[in-house]
Amino acid sequence: MLLTKKYLEKYLSNHRVSISDSQKEELINTYGSRVVDDYGHLHEYTEQDICEQLRKIVLK
């Protein structure tokens, strides 16, 4: 799963929190694209990974 602006907006709305536009862009840039690890393997975040990271960052 990739983090999209639509998903992020829905997540923020459901949790009734707001963050700055720069934080939104940082989250989209970090979790909105696939990652290649040190061994050249393509890694895609799961929905659980993304939700957990959003929880840690947004709801601290």
Side-chain angles (χ1 to χ4, degrees):
M1 175 183 176
L2 298 176
L3 181 63
T4 62
K5 286 185 179 185
K6 182 178 177 181
Y7 185 88
L8 180 58
E9 291 297 330
K10 183 177 178 183
Y11 181 90
L12 295 173
S13 174
N14 288 342
H15 287 86
R16 297 182 181 172
V17 295
S18 62
I19 58 175
S20 70
D21 289 339
S22 62
Q23 286 177 313
K24 288 179 188 177
E25 288 300 318
E26 183 179 338
L27 289 169
I28 296 292
N29 290 336
T30 303
Y31 300 107
S33 59
R34 291 180 176 87
V35 177
V36 177
D37 65 11
D38 295 337
Y39 301 106
H41 298 116
L42 188 61
H43 176 70
E44 188 173 312
Y45 295 107
T46 64
E47 185 174 2
Q48 183 178 4
D49 292 334
I50 291 174
C51 288
E52 184 64 21
Q53 295 306 315
L54 288 175
R55 182 190 65 77
K56 287 179 182 178
I57 294 167
V58 174
L59 302 177
K60 50 181 165 167

